Amino acid sequence: MSSKPTRQAMPEHDAVEGSAENAEQALTPGAVLDHGRYRLLAKVGSDPRCDAELWRAKDGVLGRDVALTILTGDRSDSQSASSARRTLERAMHASTFNHVGVARVLDVVTPAPGDPDGVLGVVIAEWTHGTDLLDLVSEGPLPPGTAARLLQPLAAAVEAAHHAGLVLGADHPQRIRVTPEGEVRMAFPGPLSAASSTDDVRGLGAALYLLLTGRWALDGAPEGLALAPTGPDGTIVAPRTLRPTVPLELSTVALRALGSQDGNGTTGGVRTGAAVLRVLEQHATFDGPTSVVQQPPTSGDTHEVWSTQDPKPDKVKRKKLAISVGALAVATLLVIGWIAANLIGIFAGGDQAEGPSKTLGEPDQQARPVPVQVTGGTPIIKEQTPDSPDKIPNLYDGDPSTSWATDSYNDQFGSGFKSGTGTLLTLQRPTSVREVVIDSPSAGTVVEVRAANGPNPNVDASPLLGQQTLNAGQTTIPIAQGQPTQNLIVWVKQLAPSGGKYQSRINEITVQGSAS
């Protein structure tokens, strides 16, 4: 089979009329398409919005399973034929797009003699092993961190496709599957004839809403799937209202990606896959990536191919284990060394010990952190404009009655057009920072402290030294020991709620370092 899909347009009327036997033939397991090449194995779902049936089939030429999106309708209906042609053309254009979050389009074919009557065209894609997206929520919604992790590949695929000028059509739950590796994937390409990039973003919001609540928030839901509830004004109820354990940012981005339900195609402030992906990355957890999707085959599915390989080792757990073993080994060596030193002192020492006496466990005075003077500060941002740049000196002037504040935002950082804001502090000397104390009235503000390698640092590339959610008053952020630095980034990545909006205020920042 050619690597490129068949380049032929859908005829307005099929040249070969189906026989009486053909007219009675239905799309059932065992039926064949495209001159007998594709044999239907099992129906996976349907998309009634475009009269599409989703099937798993066997490619008789190459001997592999494939995913078929079969467009059906009346061949004599010009509107149905035109809509099907447009879908096939869009799928054809997507055949050159390769991404882990989308099944690759292998071929696009128009009706052939012998096909069941009513078939207007077929999009053939590689088969995605794993499980149906709806199976994941059949016993209840997922933990928020797991939902965020699973959805990342699809969000990245949506963003990449939009940059390439393509639309995926990722706005129906049965078109999406989850791989054995724990990644959500667009398994049945073939966007609706009128679909736009906005529909893909709304699809991401609906998929996230589904994983967080077990409910679908767009039209065309499969039969039996619970729909998202709406409030008295007709707006969709936020996931956090249904499940208080859902983080505010995930709930907000799902709701804003869904946008308006009045059919005008607008969104509620989230217009790109990148905006959704940024929030997913912040909340994803990696607690056993394959545990959610690897299941034994059911007796009713005789065609599924399930992985028999051992689960891949979790890199995060292996790293934590290595750190723990290393720390235990170092502690053991220190204890052995201390015992050996004491034994040598007992047998080799005189009546009087040399040097000053010290009781074991007495705190080392020089180990206590000491204040480090901050000599300057400049605003630092990733996008848009800095917040209150003229007030930054108030952060280190020694006067808690003065303060610096962010702008007042309608959206939380990460769900709108800004991912954070902060300041670059210059210390009096290169110092091994031990802790940073922040005096702030804005409880709930999340602050990161990073080491900067110069006056114009890249925030994301700067080493993270510590992170803390601020309380009202003074909050101490312990700092991981590292190389001395003379520049610190204090980065506000989450704002505190303030009068229906979001804003944070900081009165004073104090830096404590190791004594020289």
Side-chain angles (χ1 to χ4, degrees):
M1 184 178 66
S2 170
S3 60
K4 294 184 177 181
T6 306
R7 303 272 175 171
Q8 54 179 322
M10 167 79 72
E12 290 293 341
H13 301 282
D14 193 17
V16 180
E17 295 294 336
S19 62
E21 180 182 356
N22 232 12
E24 295 175 358
Q25 187 179 15
L27 292 172
T28 57
V32 294
L33 299 174
D34 194 31
H35 304 284
R37 176 168 183 171
Y38 302 106
R39 181 174 297 277
L40 302 183
L41 297 179
K43 185 176 178 179
V44 176
S46 62
D47 188 348
R49 302 171 305 165
C50 58
D51 294 325
E53 294 195 11
L54 313 175
W55 283 80
R56 182 177 185 176
K58 177 71 72 174
D59 184 340
V61 175
L62 299 181
R64 63 181 177 183
D65 286 2
V66 290
L68 303 186
T69 302
I70 306 174
L71 306 176
T72 62
D74 186 353
R75 297 181 184 179
S76 63
D77 184 350
S78 60
Q79 184 175 355
S80 296
S82 175
S83 179
R85 274 201 309 275
R86 177 58 178 157
T87 294
L88 295 179
E89 290 170 356
R90 303 185 86 171
M92 187 183 300
H93 294 154
S95 63
T96 58
F97 180 70
N98 289 309
H99 194 282
V100 68
V102 182
R104 185 165 56 93
V105 175
L106 304 174
D107 205 355
V108 176
V109 297
T110 53
D115 283 355
D117 191 39
V119 173
L120 302 181
V122 185
V123 179
I124 301 100
E126 57 187 355
W127 175 249
T128 300
H129 293 285
T131 187
D132 189 283
L133 184 65
L134 299 182
D135 291 341
L136 290 185
V137 296
S138 60
E139 297 182 359
L142 303 183
T146 302
R149 170 174 58 81
L150 290 176
L151 201 57
Q152 286 184 77
L154 183 60
V158 166
E159 179 65 13
H162 293 178
H163 275 294
L166 301 172
V167 176
L168 298 182
D171 55 351
H172 191 276
Q174 291 186 317
R175 288 178 177 260
I176 301 171
R177 291 177 64 81
V178 186
T179 69
E181 291 75 28
E183 296 176 338
V184 171
R185 195 181 198 206
M186 179 68 184
F188 291 91
L192 275 64
S193 58
S196 67
S197 59
T198 296
D199 295 307
D200 279 342
V201 176
R202 295 185 70 193
L204 288 177
L208 180 57
Y209 197 103
L210 176 67
L211 296 179
L212 293 175
T213 67
R215 299 167 180 266
W216 186 251
L218 293 179
D219 296 333
E223 184 177 355
L225 179 59
L227 298 179
T230 56
D233 58 352
T235 59
I236 295 176
V237 174
R240 187 176 172 86
T241 302
L242 301 177
R243 289 183 67 199
T245 56
V246 174
L248 176 62
E249 295 82 358
L250 282 179
S251 178
T252 301
V253 78
L255 209 58
R256 291 187 178 277
L258 282 169
S260 172
Q261 293 294 298
D262 58 9
N264 60 16
T266 62
T267 58
V270 175
R271 298 176 176 85
T272 65
V276 178
L277 180 60
R278 186 162 56 240
V279 177
L280 296 178
E281 290 173 341
Q282 292 173 353
H283 293 275
T285 57
F286 295 84
D287 46 355
T290 61
S291 60
V292 175
V293 295
Q294 284 189 337
Q295 308 170 14
T298 60
S299 58
D301 185 3
T302 59
H303 304 289
E304 180 63 281
V305 180
W306 295 92
S307 174
T308 59
Q309 298 179 354
D310 292 334
K312 296 180 180 179
D314 191 312
K315 295 181 179 179
V316 175
K317 290 184 178 179
R318 290 181 62 185
K319 182 177 180 181
K320 290 181 179 178
L321 179 60
I323 293 174
S324 300
V325 172
L328 180 61
V330 171
T332 303
L333 291 175
L334 289 175
V335 172
I336 293 174
W338 178 80
I339 294 174
N342 277 273
L343 289 175
I344 293 173
I346 292 173
F347 291 104
D351 295 334
Q352 295 182 350
E354 296 181 2
S357 63
K358 183 177 180 180
T359 303
L360 184 64
E362 179 182 339
D364 186 348
Q365 297 296 326
Q366 291 193 2
R368 294 178 180 174
V370 297
V372 180
Q373 183 180 356
V374 178
T375 59
T378 56
I380 184 169
I381 55 171
K382 295 180 185 178
E383 55 270 304
Q384 298 190 29
T385 57
D387 297 53
S388 306
D390 57 322
K391 299 293 184 181
I392 285 180
N394 293 342
L395 292 172
Y396 51 88
D397 62 357
D399 183 2
S401 65
T402 63
S403 64
W404 166 88
T406 69
D407 296 339
S408 180
Y409 292 90
N410 292 323
D411 299 311
Q412 178 63 264
F413 282 161
S415 60
F417 294 102
K418 206 167 190 177
S419 59
T421 187
T423 181
L424 177 67
L425 300 179
T426 302
L427 306 182
Q428 186 179 27
R429 63 179 185 279
T431 304
S432 292
V433 179
R434 298 283 299 278
E435 61 186 35
V436 174
V437 181
I438 298 182
D439 185 347
S440 169
S442 303
T445 302
V446 178
V447 173
E448 290 181 346
V449 178
R450 295 178 177 267
N453 57 6
N456 298 299
N458 181 318
V459 175
D460 294 328
S462 300
L464 178 63
L465 302 181
Q467 176 177 300
Q468 197 74 275
T469 300
L470 302 186
N471 299 315
Q474 289 193 349
T475 302
T476 299
I477 304 177
I479 300 300
Q481 290 294 306
Q483 295 296 323
T485 182
Q486 196 170 0
N487 296 285
L488 281 183
I489 298 173
V490 178
W491 183 254
V492 178
K493 64 177 295 186
Q494 179 175 306
L495 299 170
S498 176
K501 296 186 178 182
Y502 300 94
Q503 185 179 34
S504 292
R505 182 178 301 276
I506 297 177
N507 298 336
E508 198 73 23
I509 298 177
T510 305
V511 179
Q512 304 277 345
S514 299
S516 55

